[in-house]
Amino acid sequence: MRDQLLRVSVWRGADEGRLVAYEVPARPSQTVLDVVTYIQRRLDPSLAYRFACRVGMCGSCAMTVNGIARWTCRTHVERVAKNSAIEIRPLANLQVIRDLVTDMTPFFEKWRRAEGRFVPATTPARDFAKVPPASRERRAADAGIECIGCGVCYASCDVVAWDPDYLGPAALNRAWTLVNDVRDGGNSDRLRAVAGDAGCHACHSHQSCALRCPKALDPTASIAGLKRVAARATLRGEL
Amino acid sequence: MTARGEARLWLAQRAAGILLALAVAVHLATILYAVHRGLSAAAILARTRGNAAWLAFYLVFAAAAALHGGIGLRTVIREATAWRDRSLDLATAAFIVLATLAGWRAAAALFA
């Protein structure tokens, strides 16, 4: 294994650019992030990429590996390399700043547009909110709460590719966790935000988000939940 | 379009879809029946002429198909082209009305 070389093609440039070939020694249990780090530290210090925690918590190292968006710190080379070759590109559906670094601003801006922040209910709390973990709402919120904001779902979504205004799986999943937060008081604004032109109704349920999510979340199910809640609100004249 | 408008369109398309699921099944069963029995056009018309139940069925079927297809067409156009403003909503409404009228005309021809 030690003498084997990986043939690695890495995107260099911005939206316009080219693939550059590198040779990287193969190592046991090597991750794709290890490969990128090796290139930057040993072969070409000008390579730009983003990472922080290296253990699958921060959501900053997502890239396109052999055509599929993945978290690179938890992706083992031996699982994705084809004939000892890997192609690494920046995430799709986002503008490239340089090399493997994309501008995540629109991605997080859509979380804001989807009212993805907690809004305290207007009545001041007199005590800690008691939320039974087994309640239906809490279980629905728990199912989507572990999102690390890596953008893999957003880069894998066909609807985002077709309609750049579409809020996308992560922002809608975030909205769904808040819709199910019994302490939250912002649901009427939130429903109006997520049921608009580029909101939950635009989802085709292709489920690429659920397939690719490194945390095994199911944003498609969250979006279906938003559709149900929006439909009920419409029938009651509350939307 | 407003969130309320989008949500109403979505609901209308789902409701029309449910109607279509039933109506298409009845329609296909009717076609199979007619083919297996070797019914001529005249024999079919003899059964539908003056039959208010068949008229009602095809009026609902045609309207549901126009509504379901029209709303879906609007979505496809919004995704595939840059046409997304109010004029698309008006064109969609016009399409639904025209398609419904065309379907109703055909249903009326079976009845009268």
Side-chain angles (χ1 to χ4, degrees):
Chain A
M1 187 93 183
R2 221 160 232 291
D3 298 321
Q4 266 187 13
L5 284 176
L6 295 168
R7 285 172 288 114
V8 187
S9 308
V10 180
W11 182 258
R12 304 301 308 267
D15 284 329
E16 297 288 319
R18 67 197 173 92
L19 287 168
V20 175
Y22 300 95
E23 286 192 333
V24 176
R27 297 276 181 261
S29 301
Q30 188 176 27
T31 66
V32 174
L33 184 63
D34 292 337
V35 168
V36 176
T37 301
Y38 181 93
I39 294 171
Q40 201 246 14
R41 294 198 180 159
R42 306 284 183 90
L43 305 178
D44 187 346
S46 70
L47 175 65
Y49 69 111
R50 211 185 256 134
F51 77 99
C53 76
R54 298 181 298 168
V55 289
M57 289 169 68
C58 72
S60 48
C61 70
M63 300 167 199
T64 309
V65 184
N66 282 352
I68 291 172
R70 295 180 183 278
W71 54 355
T72 55
C73 70
R74 300 287 299 269
T75 302
H76 281 99
V77 169
E78 55 201 18
R79 216 156 48 89
V80 291
K82 288 175 187 151
N83 301 322
S84 297
I86 324 176
E87 186 188 279
I88 307 173
R89 291 172 181 263
L91 283 182
N93 294 341
L94 291 161
Q95 269 217 313
V96 182
I97 296 174
R98 187 157 71 88
D99 302 340
L100 301 171
V101 178
T102 52
D103 181 4
M104 300 290 279
T105 311
F107 174 72
F108 287 113
E109 171 63 19
K110 287 176 181 179
W111 287 48
R112 199 189 58 73
R113 266 176 43 206
E115 302 286 338
R117 69 190 169 89
F118 177 73
V119 180
T122 43
T123 26
R126 294 206 181 123
D127 195 2
F128 287 110
K130 293 179 182 65
V131 184
S135 63
R136 189 175 53 81
E137 288 87 356
R138 192 60 236 171
R139 278 189 284 126
D142 281 347
I145 204 73
E146 295 291 344
C147 173
I148 55 174
C150 64
V152 163
C153 59
Y154 190 82
S156 308
C157 176
D158 294 321
V159 183
V160 174
W162 298 329
D163 180 0
D165 288 335
Y166 176 51
L167 291 172
L172 292 169
N173 178 71
R174 172 64 185 157
W176 174 242
T177 61
L178 287 168
V179 163
N180 286 287
D181 190 330
V182 291
R183 304 164 305 156
D184 185 278
N187 269 340
S188 52
D189 284 345
R190 187 169 298 119
L191 272 187
R192 266 191 291 280
V194 301
D197 277 351
C200 60
H201 298 115
C203 170
H204 281 247
S205 308
H206 287 173
Q207 304 189 58
S208 301
C209 53
L211 185 70
R212 304 273 185 249
C213 174
K215 300 291 287 182
L217 306 184
D218 187 352
T220 312
S222 301
I223 296 168
L226 288 175
K227 288 175 182 172
R228 282 196 303 277
V229 172
R232 272 202 294 274
T234 307
L235 290 173
R236 288 186 193 135
E238 293 168 357
L239 192 68
Chain B
M1 185 174 281
T2 62
R4 183 187 295 142
E6 286 291 336
R8 281 182 178 167
L9 282 184
W10 186 83
L11 262 178
Q13 202 196 18
R14 264 53 187 179
I18 292 167
L19 279 177
L20 279 181
L22 299 170
V24 168
V26 171
H27 185 59
L28 284 177
T30 310
I31 292 171
L32 287 174
Y33 176 86
V35 171
H36 275 277
R37 289 289 182 102
L39 295 185
S40 65
I44 293 170
L45 282 175
R47 285 163 169 77
T48 60
R49 288 237 157 99
N51 189 323
W54 278 123
L55 177 68
F57 172 76
Y58 277 107
L59 290 181
V60 171
F61 187 3
L67 194 62
H68 191 80
I71 297 171
L73 201 57
R74 172 181 176 272
T75 305
V76 172
I77 290 171
R78 284 177 54 85
E79 282 174 356
T81 73
W83 189 14
R84 288 176 188 179
D85 59 8
R86 179 119 187 92
S87 65
L88 175 60
D89 298 337
L90 296 173
T92 302
F95 172 85
I96 292 171
V97 169
L98 287 175
T100 303
L101 290 177
W104 285 0
R105 191 165 160 244
L110 284 174
F111 181 75

